[in-house]
């Protein structure tokens, strides 16, 4: 039995005390000033303990990750989709792929219910649900030649539940990609700085890919320094371009951005993964993590006060101006990425299992990446909670509620109990060089204001506008990396589906299938995006209201598949690890789905909203947000579509969960009837560390492998 040395005991005792102190202050403080640094302490202390103990327990005790077993990347290496990738690069790719709009926007919107509920869900959710899901899905997909989530459901649960999972997962993926793309278009439209800087990451990534593949294989440190230097140059040059005669060239209309995004998504999904996707995501990770680390340091240095209430009245009343609905279930739907996200399961069963070198790396890449994303969500919640609550609600309430003037907005926000003067609202916009901050909904502008507030306290108030626009560009880059990886994963999913009908599609690197499915996936989300850009109430805007619920329903599918595989693989006593999060997620999302379909509150229920607008049409009235009678008819159509889709998706998930439960019960009663689609064992020849830094034993193993072709 291994006994911890005194130094280790002291270190982990201090980590525990820091985390406990943070939670104690957050939980007990009422009607007094609370520093945001306590939120950082609670988060980092909890993350460290969870990764060191809980994640290690799951990886080695429950899943029994085997370092001697060859992964699909090693066995099926073809240089296109299957390619053993350095763990540091893959960590960057995986984190960049999963970290989209959710951890930036969701916590900002949920701040209307107070900072405490969001903090608890983000941290507890990631430790016991989100990071567990990502790691377990990655493990089982790696054991199955990198199969997609839907295909694993079909093979392990059965054709009926599997077909429901395939259909639900693919439909939800298209919705998620369309929403992510719309956020990018809104962020980059008329922004030459952001467009230039983000565009430059593509040639930089290509250079890094060829550098590692052809020029200097294995020299990750070298290419990292080169990439970071060029990225920083691109960021600085972006501002130069925005202030030069070149600005017009990089000032693109939304429709033009749609074309470029679809083209980029198609190319990124068909090129060899080492050439563009992995190095670009790795490069983006430096900026993402670097910004978040600097933001955390800024909080520790400036010690800003959390100005939002710990729990607001909107949490119980359910009539919040940002989004309608009570704390349960809608806070847990609004905060998805950062706590628990079904989209992550698609990445963990998409690109990453086809690139991972060793099974022992799933802890760092699966669980570790999700903790990194959760830290992003915590910082986003802090950014939203340190600004004046009056400004927060003025920015996130729709114009139909607060009006279009600072005087009217001040009066309406004041009626909610949050006082802010018209002069303060005008000054807030002026300080970030915006004409107005009223009704800048969606969460991104609020996050940018919070980021500029923290950074400007460190660097000086005169740079507040610079940091605001930097944050807007940062958010676009953050989201774009999820779009390219998501498109590739959507291609894998469609290939798996078509492979059940025509076998050549099962080879995900088969070029005709690769081109056909990539074009179809890009065409689907591109169509919804195009319509959404040209019609404010159409296209992907029509599906935006079901984005959060769809994502969490997908997580239920992933957790159901994981629980089934734990049971069927002889790990019944550990099935609670995914079974408990599954029960919670199913309760939350199905409750939310029921309310969105059948609630009598028109702000919540889709069908009730449809009835209200249809009655107004019959009376010849026009209700906001509609401006014309045509808009009124569009709202009726949208409400009907959203209500029907919500009901269908919820029904599909119920089918998956019930069928998974049937399979588990059958296995417990008659194990002989069960079969696993796990790939046969092949001994690995790759030598690579399990974590970011090699242990003493791993260094010795690497030295023994010197001179062989298998050292990585």
């Amino acid at each position: 039995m291994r006994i911890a040395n005194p130094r280790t005991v002291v270190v982990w005792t201090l980590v525990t005390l820091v985390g406990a102190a943070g939670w104690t202050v957050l939980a007990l403080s009422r009607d007094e000033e609370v520093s945001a640094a306590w939120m950082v302490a609670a988060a980092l202390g909890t993350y460290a303990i969870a990764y060191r103990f809980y994640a290690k327990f799951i990886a080695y005790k429950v899943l029994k990750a085997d370092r001697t077993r060859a992964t699909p990347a090693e066995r099926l290496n073809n240089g296109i989709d299957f390619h053993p990738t350095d763990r540091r690069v893959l960590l960057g790719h995986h984190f960049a792929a999963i970290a989209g709009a959710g951890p930036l926007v969701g916590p900002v919107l949920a701040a209307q219910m107070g900072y405490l509920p969001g903090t608890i869900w983000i941290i507890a959710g990631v430790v016991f649900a989100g990071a567990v899901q990502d790691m377990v899905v990655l493990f089982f997909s790696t054991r199955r030649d990198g199969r997609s989530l839907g295909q694993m459901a079909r093979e392990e649960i059965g054709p009926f539940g599997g077909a429901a999972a395939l259909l639900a997962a693919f439909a939800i993926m298209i919705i998620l990609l369309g929403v992510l793309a719309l956020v990018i278009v809104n962020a980059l439209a008329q922004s030459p700085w952001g467009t230039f800087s983000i565009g430059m990451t593509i040639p930089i990534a290509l250079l890094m890919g060829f550098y590692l593949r052809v020029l200097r294989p294995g020299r990750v440190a070298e290419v990292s320094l080169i990439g970071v230097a060029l990225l920083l140059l691109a960021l600085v040059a972006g501002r130069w371009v925005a202030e030069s005669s070149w600005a017009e060239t990089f000032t693109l209309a939304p429709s033009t951005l749609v074309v470029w995004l679809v083209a980029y998504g198609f190319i990124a999904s068909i090129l060899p993964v080492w050439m563009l996707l992995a190095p670009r995501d790795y490069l983006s990770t430096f900026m993402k993590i670097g910004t978040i680390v600097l933001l955390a340091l800024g909080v520790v240095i400036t010690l800003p006060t959390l100005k939002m209430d710990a729990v607001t009245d909107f949490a119980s009343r359910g009539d919040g101006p940002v989004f309608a609905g009570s704390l349960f279930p809608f806070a847990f739907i609004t905060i998805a990425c950062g706590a628990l996200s079904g989209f992550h399961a698609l990445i963990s069963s998409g690109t990453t299992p086809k690139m991972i070198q060793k099974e022992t790396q799933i802890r760092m890449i699966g669980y570790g990446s999700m903790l990194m994303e959760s830290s992003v969500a915590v910082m986003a919640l802090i950014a939203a909670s340190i600004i004046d609550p009056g400004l927060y609600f003025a920015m996130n309430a729709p114009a139909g509620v607060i009006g279009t003037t600072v005087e009217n907005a001040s009066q309406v926000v004041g009626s909610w109990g949050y006082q802010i003067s018209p002069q303060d609202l005008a000054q807030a916009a002026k300080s970030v060089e915006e004409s107005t901050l009223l009704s800048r909904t969606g969460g991104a502008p609020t996050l940018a204001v919070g980021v500029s507030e923290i950074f400007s306290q460190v660097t000086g108030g005169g740079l507040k506008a610079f940091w605001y626009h930097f944050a807007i560009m940062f958010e676009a880059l953050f989201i774009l990396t999820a779009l390219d990886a998501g498109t590739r994963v959507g291609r894998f999913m469609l290939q798996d589906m078509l492979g059940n009908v025509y076998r050549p599609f099962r080879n995900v690197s088969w070029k005709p299938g690769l081109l056909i499915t990539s074009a179809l996936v890009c065409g689907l989300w591109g169509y919804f995006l195009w319509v959404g850009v040209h019609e404010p109430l159409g296209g992907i805007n029509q599906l935006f209201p079901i984005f959060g619920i769809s994502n969490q329903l997908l997580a239920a599918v992933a957790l159901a598949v994981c629980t089934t595989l734990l049971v069927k693989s002889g790990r019944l006593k550990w099935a609670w690890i995914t079974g408990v999060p599954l029960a919670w997620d199913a309760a939350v999302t199905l409750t939310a789905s029921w309310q969105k379909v059948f609630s009598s509150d028109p702000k919540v229920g889709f069908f009730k909203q449809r009835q209200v607008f249809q009655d107004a049409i019959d009376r010849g009235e026009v209700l906001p947000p509609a401006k014309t009678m045509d808009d009124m008819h569009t709202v009726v159509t949208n409400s009907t579509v959203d209500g029907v889709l919500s009901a269908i998706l919820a029904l599909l998930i119920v089918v998956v969960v019930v069928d998974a439960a049937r399979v588990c019960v059958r296995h417990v009663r008659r194990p002989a009837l069960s079969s696993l689609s796990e790939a046969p064992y092949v001994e690995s020849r790759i030598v690579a560390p399990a974590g970011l830094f090699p242990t003493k034993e791993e260094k010795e193993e690497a030295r023994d492998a010197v001179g062989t072709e298998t050292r990585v």
Side-chain angles (χ1 to χ4, degrees):
M1 180 178 178
R2 184 179 178 182
I3 301 176
N5 61 54
R7 180 182 175 184
T8 301
V9 173
V10 170
V11 168
W12 285 105
T13 299
L14 290 175
V15 170
T16 303
L17 290 175
V18 169
W23 282 116
T24 301
V25 172
L26 292 176
L28 300 182
S29 298
R30 292 293 181 272
D31 300 323
E32 57 193 77
E33 291 189 350
V34 178
S35 171
W38 290 114
M39 195 183 294
V40 174
L44 295 182
T46 305
Y47 295 154
I49 294 170
Y51 183 79
R52 171 61 180 82
F53 298 101
Y54 192 49
K56 187 175 182 179
F57 161 74
I58 295 174
Y60 294 103
K61 180 69 174 179
V62 178
L63 301 178
K64 299 186 185 304
D66 187 354
R67 70 184 183 86
T68 70
R69 189 185 187 107
T71 64
E74 181 179 357
R75 291 186 291 102
L76 306 175
N77 184 10
N78 60 14
I80 300 177
D81 295 310
F82 294 89
H83 178 65
T85 304
D86 185 281
R87 68 198 183 283
R88 292 160 292 187
V89 176
L90 186 58
L91 177 67
H93 157 73
H94 187 80
F95 168 71
I98 66 173
L104 296 174
V105 175
V108 173
L109 301 180
Q112 80 158 357
M113 295 186 174
Y115 65 79
L116 189 57
T119 302
I120 294 173
W121 170 233
I122 290 170
I123 299 175
V126 72
V127 169
F128 297 109
V132 172
Q133 171 206 259
D134 292 11
M135 179 170 66
V136 176
V137 169
L138 176 58
F139 173 80
F140 282 124
S141 181
T142 300
R143 283 282 176 98
R144 285 157 180 76
D145 291 340
R147 287 277 188 244
S148 68
L149 176 66
Q151 187 63 23
M152 285 197 294
R154 188 180 186 279
E155 293 174 352
E156 302 294 350
I157 296 177
F160 186 61
L166 276 168
L167 182 60
F170 186 72
I172 292 171
M173 174 58 106
I174 297 301
I175 294 173
L176 298 182
L177 290 175
V179 170
L180 290 175
L182 181 63
V183 176
I184 295 169
V185 169
N186 290 338
L188 293 184
Q190 313 302 323
S191 174
W193 181 9
T195 302
F196 175 83
S197 298
I198 290 176
M200 288 304 298
T201 62
I202 297 174
I204 295 172
L206 289 170
L207 171 63
M208 293 174 66
F210 279 99
Y211 193 96
L212 280 177
R213 177 81 172 187
V214 180
L215 300 178
R216 301 274 284 175
R219 304 291 184 174
V220 177
E222 288 181 17
V223 81
S224 299
L225 291 174
I226 294 171
V228 171
L230 292 174
L231 175 62
L232 293 175
L233 179 60
L235 293 174
V236 175
R239 196 181 192 196
W240 296 340
V241 167
E243 297 172 351
S244 71
S245 58
W246 285 42
E248 186 176 348
T249 303
F250 290 93
T251 304
L252 304 181
S255 57
T256 306
L257 284 168
V258 171
V259 175
W260 280 110
L261 282 178
V262 172
Y264 170 74
F266 177 77
I267 293 171
S269 68
I270 64 174
L271 286 179
V273 72
W274 60 265
M275 187 181 295
L276 176 60
L277 189 66
R280 188 186 179 286
D281 288 351
Y282 178 60
L283 176 67
S284 300
T285 296
F286 281 104
M287 181 180 173
K288 292 181 176 184
I289 293 299
T291 302
I292 295 303
V293 169
L294 290 176
L295 200 55
L297 289 175
V299 170
V300 173
I301 292 171
T302 62
L303 299 176
T305 301
L306 295 171
K307 297 179 181 178
M308 183 65 73
D309 297 332
V311 182
T312 68
D313 293 339
F314 297 124
S316 57
R317 298 208 312 254
D319 60 350
V322 180
F323 63 90
S326 57
L327 178 63
F328 181 89
F330 290 104
F332 308 100
I333 298 298
T334 304
I335 301 177
C337 299
L340 172 64
S341 170
F343 177 75
H344 296 186
L346 302 182
I347 303 298
S348 292
S349 61
T351 53
T352 306
K354 300 175 179 64
M355 301 162 65
I356 194 168
Q357 296 169 329
K358 309 288 284 186
E359 282 189 1
T360 47
Q361 294 171 352
I362 63 164
R363 176 185 171 214
M364 176 186 70
I365 294 170
Y367 202 97
S369 291
M370 185 55 185
L371 291 182
M372 289 160 60
E373 193 199 44
S374 185
S375 68
V376 175
V378 169
M379 296 312 302
L381 183 58
I382 289 175
S385 301
I386 64 168
I387 66 175
D388 190 293
L391 176 60
Y392 169 85
F393 285 107
M395 291 185 67
N396 289 281
V401 175
I402 63 171
T404 57
T405 66
V406 290
E407 290 78 13
N408 197 66
S410 173
Q411 182 178 359
V412 174
V413 171
S415 69
W416 299 332
Y418 300 99
Q419 303 298 325
I420 186 167
S421 69
Q423 293 76 18
D424 288 338
L425 287 174
Q427 180 58 39
K430 183 180 179 181
S431 66
V432 294
E433 298 181 6
E434 291 281 354
S435 58
T436 181
L437 288 177
L438 299 183
S439 301
R440 296 294 300 274
T441 57
T446 305
L447 174 60
V449 168
V451 169
S452 68
E453 185 73 26
I454 294 172
F455 281 163
S456 65
Q457 288 185 32
V458 177
T459 61
L463 291 176
K464 181 174 281 191
F466 169 84
W467 289 120
Y468 173 84
H469 289 92
F470 169 83
I472 292 291
M473 187 273 297
F474 161 74
E475 293 172 53
L477 175 64
F478 215 104
I479 299 165
L480 184 58
T481 53
L483 182 68
D484 50 18
T487 299
R488 197 180 193 97
V489 171
R491 187 250 289 180
F492 292 151
M493 294 168 63
L494 187 55
Q495 285 176 286
D496 278 344
M497 291 173 65
L498 296 177
N500 295 317
V501 179
Y502 186 57
R503 292 190 66 84
F505 278 103
R506 290 194 175 187
N507 178 4
V508 294
S509 299
W510 179 52
K511 289 186 178 179
L514 180 153
L515 293 171
I516 292 170
T517 51
S518 293
L520 286 173
V521 170
C522 290
L524 284 170
W525 66 256
Y527 166 76
F528 287 114
L529 177 62
W530 179 267
V531 176
V533 165
H534 290 83
E535 297 180 21
L537 296 177
I540 196 61
N541 297 298
Q542 182 183 61
L543 303 176
F544 203 102
I546 62 175
F547 171 77
I549 289 179
S550 299
N551 191 35
Q552 298 305 75
L553 287 173
L554 189 55
V557 173
L559 291 168
V561 171
C562 290
T563 305
T564 303
L565 284 169
L566 286 174
V567 172
K568 291 179 65 177
S569 60
R571 301 174 173 91
L572 175 61
K573 67 178 180 179
W574 305 121
W576 59 268
I577 289 173
T578 55
V580 172
L582 169 61
W584 167 258
D585 184 52
V588 169
T589 51
L590 292 178
T591 299
S593 297
W594 179 272
Q595 292 186 19
K596 294 300 287 185
V597 174
F598 298 111
S599 174
S600 58
D601 183 351
K603 294 181 179 180
V604 177
F606 290 127
F607 289 149
K608 183 63 177 180
Q609 183 184 66
R610 180 195 182 281
Q611 179 185 336
V612 168
F613 276 77
Q614 184 60 57
D615 291 344
I617 290 174
D618 294 340
R619 297 192 303 269
E621 296 180 14
V622 176
L623 304 177
K627 298 179 180 179
T628 66
M629 194 56 69
D630 287 340
D631 288 347
M632 292 288 290
H633 287 286
T634 301
V635 172
V636 169
T637 301
N638 290 355
S639 301
T640 305
V641 170
D642 289 339
V644 171
L645 278 178
S646 295
I648 291 174
L649 290 175
L651 182 61
L652 287 173
I653 271 56
V654 169
V655 169
V656 173
V657 173
V658 170
D659 208 22
R662 177 190 62 80
V663 172
C664 291
V665 171
R666 187 189 67 178
H667 175 81
V668 172
R669 291 178 175 176
R670 304 181 67 182
L673 296 179
S674 299
S675 62
L676 289 171
S677 58
E678 190 173 282
Y681 174 90
V682 174
E683 186 175 357
S684 174
R685 295 174 56 84
I686 290 178
V687 176
L692 203 58
F693 303 103
T695 63
K696 181 180 179 181
E697 293 78 10
E698 288 171 338
K699 289 179 180 178
E700 292 176 355
E701 184 182 17
R703 281 195 295 268
D704 293 339
V706 170
T708 71
E709 296 180 356
T710 58
R711 185 186 178 197
V712 177

